[in-house]
Amino acid sequence: MTLTRADDAAAIFTEGYSCSQAVCAAFAEDFGIDRDTALRLSCGLGGGMAHTGNTCGAVTGALMVIGMKYGRTAVDDLAAKEKTYAVANEFISEFLRRNHSVSCTDLIGHNLSDPKELAIARKDNLFHTKCPRFVRDAGEILEKIL
């Protein structure tokens, strides 16, 4: 059985890494980025960017992957910038279709910037019951659009 990048992302998440780290690290080596570097770069994005409940880490990790593939490295390479934005928008549209939001607060159902609500989300094991689906969705969408 061939493992997919979505499987890799899910496995990395299960190891205990954040959603952003799982998605970013699962694809990084395809673009010449080692796993440790990918884990470091994406570390602050979990929990909707450092537990602020903003954009879901699976989404921000995916946007990093899209940037690794299409992102511009020359300031005047507007075609690369536009391609990156187009693919990012395609990703976001499909993630929204599947999950109805890209907001961690909406997806988890708690405002993670509030320590009491973060504690409830942890107590209710929401990061382990809800987030695996978002990580897998991000991986599947990336596999399709890259």
Side-chain angles (χ1 to χ4, degrees):
M1 180 172 133
T2 303
L3 291 180
T4 65
R5 290 292 180 258
D7 294 330
D8 292 343
I12 293 166
F13 184 78
T14 301
E15 289 175 31
Y17 291 101
S18 73
C19 44
S20 57
Q21 290 178 296
V23 174
C24 187
F27 288 84
E29 289 184 356
D30 294 347
F31 305 105
I33 308 292
D34 65 90
R35 177 182 161 122
D36 286 351
T37 299
L39 292 171
R40 283 188 189 100
L41 286 171
S42 56
C43 186
L45 301 174
M49 295 187 280
H51 281 148
T52 61
N54 288 298
T55 306
C56 168
V59 172
T60 56
L63 295 177
M64 291 181 75
V65 171
I66 292 166
M68 284 187 257
K69 178 156 187 178
Y70 298 111
R72 70 178 170 165
T73 58
V75 73
D76 61 345
D77 188 356
L78 298 181
K81 179 180 177 182
E82 292 306 316
K83 176 68 173 180
T84 303
Y85 285 8
V87 176
N89 278 299
E90 182 180 356
F91 173 87
I92 290 167
S93 293
E94 178 60 16
F95 193 90
L96 282 168
R97 188 190 69 72
R98 292 181 184 206
N99 298 294
H100 310 294
S101 183
V102 295
S103 162
C104 188
T105 294
D106 293 344
L107 294 168
I108 296 294
H110 290 279
N111 177 0
L112 301 181
S113 66
D114 178 334
K116 290 179 183 175
E117 289 200 44
L118 175 59
I120 292 168
R122 285 180 171 151
K123 180 184 76 62
D124 291 346
N125 210 28
L126 297 179
F127 299 111
H128 297 284
T129 58
K130 291 188 172 199
C131 296
R133 184 178 90 225
F134 308 135
V135 168
R136 183 167 289 283
D137 282 351
E140 289 173 357
I141 296 165
L142 284 171
E143 288 177 310
K144 179 181 173 187
I145 66 175
L146 295 181

